[in-house]
Amino acid sequence: MAPSGTVADPPPTSTTDSFNSGDTAENDIRPFFVLHKASSRSSLHGKPTGNVKSKRRIESPNPKIAKRSEVEIVEEGDGQFFSTTRLKVFDTVWSKIEKTIEDVLRNSNSKVFSGIYEWIRESFDSIVSSGALRLSEAVRSYPVLTQASSKQLLTAMVLTRNLEMVDDLLTFEELELHLKSHGCHVAKLSSMDFSAKSGVGGCLRVLLRQFVMPTVDVADVTILASWYRENRNHENPVVIIVDDTERCCGSVLSDLILILSEWAIKVPIFLVMGVSTAHDAPRKILSVNALQRLCASSFTLSSPAERMDTVLEAVFLRPCSGFTVSHKVALFMRSYFLCQDGTLTSFVRTLKIACLQHFSLEPLSIMLEHFCQDGINQLSDEGTGLLTEATMKHAFHLPSVTRNKITRSTFEMLPQFLSDLQRMPNPWSIVVLCIYEAGKFDKLRLLDIFCETLDPEARYLKYFSPSATVNCQSHDSGRSSVIRRVLHKLRDLSPSQLSNMLKSWEKLTADFSEMNDKVMELHPFMRSVEAAGQRQGLPNSPKKHASRSHSKHEKELKAMTDKVAAVIEFMLREYMKPVESVPFQEIVCFKNVDILQSALLGDPRGKIQSDLLESHNILHCVCCSKRGTNLLPSMHDTSILYTLAQEHPDVINLHDWYQSFKTILIPRSSKAKPKSKSSSKSKKRKDMCEEPEAPTEALIQARFCRAVMELQIAGLIRMPSKRRPDFVQRVAFGS
């Protein structure tokens, strides 16, 4: 039917294969269309369809048109080449971004994963040290020990702090792989396995299928005990991961805990339970007996905001793919992240759609491949085939180029400009990270700092004026400026906090001599402030808690904060050159926020209406492109019917609608013609080829009913009611 109003998230397979493979049509990112009935050659020109293609290629009304067609063929070939190349480059760029995100998330959880494994190994060693059981003892149906401590099930409560489970799926998959790599026997259960319908027997069957063999269909714990004592399986612990505890059926989970606790000594089982809200969340769903069997330890993962900051730093502030976004797009992505579901998965999905839209709109985006491979200087090579006359013409007519008044367009200049564009984010990202280090004392997020520093008009510099400094303590209504909050927080920092911040700045600016020199100039003043504080016996506490009697120390500390603010202003003025003000930034920067918003939020009903009314602009067929305002029988029935509906008010008479539809399918030229008795069989065959047979009344009615049903499914009409069975009502107007 019409193109989809939203862009679906592509599958994790290769993007190039997704576009070129016909077997994965349902996972294709491109819009899908209704099959269009091809019109016969005879219905358009009244001639036989014997050699249609050859005739169309030979025809050329005049030499000018023929010459123009040759040029169009060459441009069409170049466009097809670059279109295919853009898909391949998108696959390369997004693969690098996706791998970077996966590595960052894995590293952010590595400390917690290592802590969970060390806790499992230490607990397992203490259980084994008490003495291993023989096989006959391990498979007994009654516990070997009767003490209460022998029935304690060691449990790790992992706090994820996510509102949605979608971000935790990858986290627990990584935890499963981490524990398996260290030799643990791991099984992972989801909340769907703890359904009241399946009961605890369903959970046991899922466990046995993961541990013993996939064909096990018996819920018997003795099978697990027998398997554990065979083939040296008892040398490693058994770990069961429940990724979303709060969505499980409490009674089923309680029964499973009671059963497993009876075998805690025979089979050392460790339970890892993921919780989203608090460590004591299981108290609300588990029974009292089940809670008494748990011996819990707490582990906390990084928050979604912290993971967002690490992903943002790795993708946009560290050398990655070269792809970036504009100020307006960044603001929209932040708003979408905060106002929708607040998950990192939604942010990554938004980033992927923005990257895909960038490659589909900008022809020169293929040069991002050389940003990934650090091969900008290889663009001038003839083997790449990128610096053609058409690409050079397009590149030097970009808005950013004309705005900077660059007139010399040579093949040697473009690689030089792109090389400068590739090096530009390095000092810019260092300044952003330095501001982030200062903003950590006020719990500022890197996403907010990133959005404000992308401002092409650099409105944040107004906060360094003397009037702004005097009025720094007055807050604006709504969301206050990040730079303003950083400058305000500098006054409340203690000497030790300032010293730690300068040390982090020194590490960040080590590769940039000018910024590093400015930072190093602050150390002597910092040492004098610390020495003055020690001489007067002042503790390293914020300034507002200092005594009024130590005004000299306060003046020195204020002078120190002013110097730090001056260094921040120097960094922002000298190195914070927004990417949107740089020539050729359209190659690497996605700016069209309207298209991104339409792709994410969408207007499916309006898109369906516009596509039904303008199907010829999508299908590009010969018959529909030349029809003008006339409806043709070769058009799709739904498109014909909806176009006819525009002639009616909000209520449509079914009889009149059907008669209009019938008139389109059976034009006047196709109505009853007098048969010639003297015509031969050859003439009859020729007439049949030239004029297709008119559809029957039953076929027209069937096609009319099917088209009406499709419009109802699309939400464009409401079917007849009992009060007015001969009328349908339009429920959508306009596009």
Side-chain angles (χ1 to χ4, degrees):
M1 196 179 285
S4 175
T6 58
V7 178
D9 194 16
T13 56
S14 174
T15 308
T16 306
D17 298 338
S18 175
F19 273 91
N20 297 334
S21 174
D23 297 336
T24 59
E26 63 180 2
N27 292 328
D28 201 344
I29 290 179
R30 295 176 299 177
F32 55 92
F33 307 103
V34 173
L35 294 178
H36 186 273
K37 302 187 296 295
S39 60
S40 62
R41 178 72 175 170
S42 59
S43 62
L44 294 176
H45 302 283
K47 296 181 181 181
T49 59
N51 299 320
V52 176
K53 293 185 178 179
S54 60
K55 287 183 180 181
R56 288 184 60 82
R57 291 181 179 177
I58 294 174
E59 289 176 358
S60 58
N62 52 63
K64 293 182 179 180
I65 296 179
K67 184 177 181 179
R68 186 175 69 248
S69 300
E70 292 177 0
V71 175
E72 290 177 355
I73 290 174
V74 174
E75 292 180 354
E76 183 180 355
D78 292 342
Q80 185 176 4
F81 165 75
F82 282 107
S83 178
T84 306
T85 306
R86 274 188 281 171
L87 295 178
K88 295 180 180 178
V89 176
F90 165 74
D91 187 30
T92 303
V93 171
W94 180 250
S95 298
K96 187 166 185 178
I97 294 176
E98 192 173 28
K99 185 178 183 303
T100 302
I101 294 175
E102 292 177 356
D103 294 341
V104 165
L105 294 178
R106 187 181 299 110
N107 293 334
S108 65
N109 295 324
S110 60
K111 293 183 179 180
V112 180
F113 290 172
S114 299
I116 293 175
Y117 171 72
E118 292 175 359
W119 169 77
I120 291 175
R121 177 54 63 180
E122 292 176 0
S123 303
F124 178 74
D125 292 340
S126 63
I127 294 175
V128 172
S129 63
S130 62
L133 300 177
R134 296 189 300 273
L135 178 61
S136 58
E137 296 175 339
V139 297
R140 291 176 183 173
S141 57
Y142 54 88
V144 177
L145 300 177
T146 58
Q147 294 84 357
S149 60
S150 65
K151 297 182 180 182
Q152 292 290 314
L153 191 62
L154 297 176
T155 307
M157 295 294 179
V158 181
L159 180 61
T160 61
R161 295 187 285 181
N162 284 326
L163 297 178
E164 294 291 337
M165 186 59 197
V166 63
D167 280 353
D168 299 332
L169 296 177
L170 181 61
T171 301
F172 286 104
E173 288 177 2
E174 293 291 342
L175 176 60
E176 180 183 6
L177 295 176
H178 179 81
L179 296 178
K180 285 183 177 179
S181 64
H182 289 80
C184 298
H185 307 292
V186 185
K188 190 166 75 71
L189 301 177
S190 65
S191 58
M192 300 298 294
D193 298 323
F194 292 91
S195 62
K197 182 178 180 180
S198 301
V200 69
C203 299
L204 292 176
R205 279 189 289 269
V206 173
L207 289 177
L208 294 177
R209 288 168 185 170
Q210 295 188 43
F211 283 129
V212 184
M213 62 178 61
T215 58
V216 174
D217 198 24
V218 180
D220 191 355
V221 189
T222 58
I223 299 177
L224 178 63
S226 301
W227 164 84
Y228 184 71
R229 292 300 170 179
E230 296 174 354
N231 299 326
R232 304 180 65 179
N233 292 328
H234 61 278
E235 296 179 357
N236 293 302
V238 175
V239 182
I240 299 175
I241 299 176
V242 182
D243 53 13
D244 193 3
T245 304
E246 293 161 309
R247 294 189 179 182
C248 297
C249 178
S251 60
V252 178
L253 181 58
S254 300
D255 293 340
L256 180 65
I257 292 174
L258 294 175
I259 293 174
L260 295 179
S261 63
E262 295 291 340
W263 298 77
I265 297 298
K266 307 170 188 179
V267 182
I269 297 177
F270 297 86
L271 191 61
V272 178
M273 303 175 67
V275 291
S276 302
T277 55
H279 290 109
D280 59 347
R283 294 181 180 273
K284 301 178 182 179
I285 61 173
L286 297 179
S287 62
V288 177
N289 293 333
L291 290 173
Q292 293 176 352
R293 300 293 179 92
L294 297 180
C295 181
S297 300
S298 301
F299 299 90
T300 304
L301 297 175
S302 56
S303 65
E306 293 172 349
R307 290 197 292 269
M308 170 65 71
D309 289 345
T310 56
V311 168
L312 194 68
E313 179 181 351
V315 174
F316 291 113
L317 302 179
R318 300 293 183 184
C320 183
S321 63
F323 173 74
T324 186
V325 295
S326 66
H327 179 237
K328 292 183 178 179
V329 173
L331 290 176
F332 172 77
M333 293 176 67
R334 181 183 66 179
S335 175
Y336 185 80
F337 169 74
L338 297 176
C339 299
Q340 293 297 321
D341 53 3
T343 61
L344 186 61
T345 304
S346 65
F347 182 83
V348 174
R349 176 174 173 266
T350 306
L351 178 62
K352 186 171 187 178
I353 294 176
C355 186
L356 178 62
Q357 294 290 347
H358 176 67
F359 277 90
S360 63
L361 296 175
E362 179 53 53
L364 296 181
S365 58
I366 54 178
M367 296 182 182
L368 275 171
E369 181 179 16
H370 298 275
F371 278 80
C372 295
Q373 301 174 357
D374 197 12
I376 295 298
N377 297 326
Q378 301 176 0
L379 282 174
S380 57
D381 298 343
E382 297 181 358
T384 59
L386 296 180
L387 296 184
T388 62
E389 185 176 353
T391 57
M392 291 292 296
K393 182 179 179 181
H394 178 78
F396 282 90
H397 282 80
L398 292 172
S400 61
V401 178
T402 56
R403 185 169 56 249
N404 287 273
K405 299 179 180 180
I406 300 175
T407 57
R408 294 178 57 191
S409 57
T410 62
F411 286 91
E412 293 78 12
M413 290 184 62
L414 184 57
Q416 181 62 35
F417 278 113
L418 294 180
S419 180
D420 296 339
L421 187 63
Q422 186 182 24
R423 290 193 299 267
M424 187 204 69
N426 293 332
W428 178 84
S429 60
I430 295 302
V431 176
V432 175
L433 292 176
C434 288
I435 297 176
Y436 178 52
E437 289 294 329
K440 286 182 178 179
F441 299 105
D442 200 19
K443 298 181 180 181
L444 292 178
R445 299 262 62 94
L446 182 60
L447 181 60
D448 298 330
I449 299 174
F450 176 75
C451 291
E452 182 164 331
T453 52
L454 278 177
D455 185 5
E457 299 180 4
R459 286 185 286 263
Y460 45 79
L461 293 177
K462 67 180 180 181
Y463 299 110
F464 293 95
S465 61
S467 59
T469 305
V470 173
N471 301 325
C472 188
Q473 294 183 357
S474 62
H475 296 282
D476 296 334
S477 59
R479 180 184 292 273
S480 59
S481 169
V482 173
I483 304 299
R484 187 188 187 96
R485 291 176 59 183
V486 169
L487 295 177
H488 177 68
K489 189 63 179 178
L490 285 177
R491 297 186 171 189
D492 295 335
L493 297 183
S494 65
S496 61
Q497 291 174 329
L498 285 173
S499 179
N500 294 332
M501 185 185 68
L502 293 180
K503 290 178 181 179
S504 62
W505 282 11
E506 184 180 352
K507 294 179 181 179
L508 290 172
T509 60
D511 296 334
F512 298 94
S513 58
E514 293 185 7
M515 282 192 288
N516 190 261
D517 293 341
K518 291 289 184 180
V519 174
M520 296 302 294
E521 291 176 0
L522 297 175
H523 283 288
F525 298 97
M526 190 69 246
R527 285 192 291 267
S528 64
V529 171
E530 292 177 346
Q534 292 177 358
R535 285 194 303 269
Q536 297 178 9
L538 293 176
N540 287 334
S541 59
K543 177 182 66 63
K544 60 183 180 181
H545 299 298
S547 175
R548 295 181 180 179
S549 60
H550 306 95
S551 58
K552 183 178 180 180
H553 177 71
E554 290 182 0
K555 291 181 180 179
E556 292 182 356
L557 189 58
K558 183 180 181 302
M560 181 64 195
T561 57
D562 292 340
K563 292 181 182 298
V564 173
V567 172
I568 295 177
E569 181 181 7
F570 167 78
M571 293 180 180
L572 291 175
R573 292 189 183 276
E574 297 296 328
Y575 298 101
M576 290 300 291
K577 190 176 183 180
V579 66
E580 295 181 64
S581 62
V582 181
F584 303 100
Q585 49 88 12
E586 290 87 353
I587 298 176
V588 300
C589 181
F590 176 69
K591 302 172 59 177
N592 201 324
V593 67
D594 295 332
I595 292 182
L596 179 61
Q597 183 175 0
S598 176
L600 285 170
L601 305 179
D603 183 16
R605 181 175 293 182
K607 190 65 175 175
I608 291 173
Q609 293 181 78
S610 61
D611 291 341
L612 285 175
L613 296 175
E614 301 176 0
S615 59
H616 58 279
N617 294 332
I618 301 174
L619 300 176
H620 300 292
C621 55
V622 178
C623 58
C624 296
S625 60
K626 296 181 179 180
R627 69 179 180 88
T629 58
N630 300 324
L631 297 177
L632 298 177
S634 60
M635 296 175 59
H636 193 271
D637 297 339
T638 310
S639 181
I640 296 174
L641 209 57
Y642 190 68
T643 305
L644 292 173
Q646 307 306 307
E647 303 174 0
H648 296 266
D650 57 342
V651 177
I652 305 174
N653 186 289
L654 281 174
H655 178 75
D656 297 340
W657 204 15
Y658 172 74
Q659 292 299 328
S660 302
F661 179 72
K662 181 179 178 181
T663 304
I664 300 300
L665 296 186
I666 308 178
R668 296 179 180 179
S669 59
S670 301
K671 292 186 178 180
K673 291 185 177 181
K675 296 184 179 179
S676 176
K677 297 181 180 180
S678 60
S679 60
S680 61
K681 295 183 178 180
S682 60
K683 290 183 179 180
K684 290 182 179 180
R685 292 177 180 175
K686 184 177 181 180
D687 293 338
M688 292 176 62
C689 295
E690 291 180 353
E691 199 68 37
E693 184 179 357
T696 62
E697 185 75 16
L699 181 59
I700 295 176
Q701 293 179 6
R703 291 169 61 177
F704 178 79
C705 294
R706 183 179 61 183
V708 171
M709 186 177 299
E710 289 183 358
L711 291 177
Q712 181 202 10
I713 294 173
L716 302 180
I717 64 171
R718 185 178 293 120
M719 296 301 284
S721 61
K722 294 182 179 180
R723 295 179 58 186
R724 307 184 71 179
D726 296 335
F727 293 87
V728 296
Q729 184 178 3
R730 293 173 60 188
V731 295
F733 299 90
S735 57

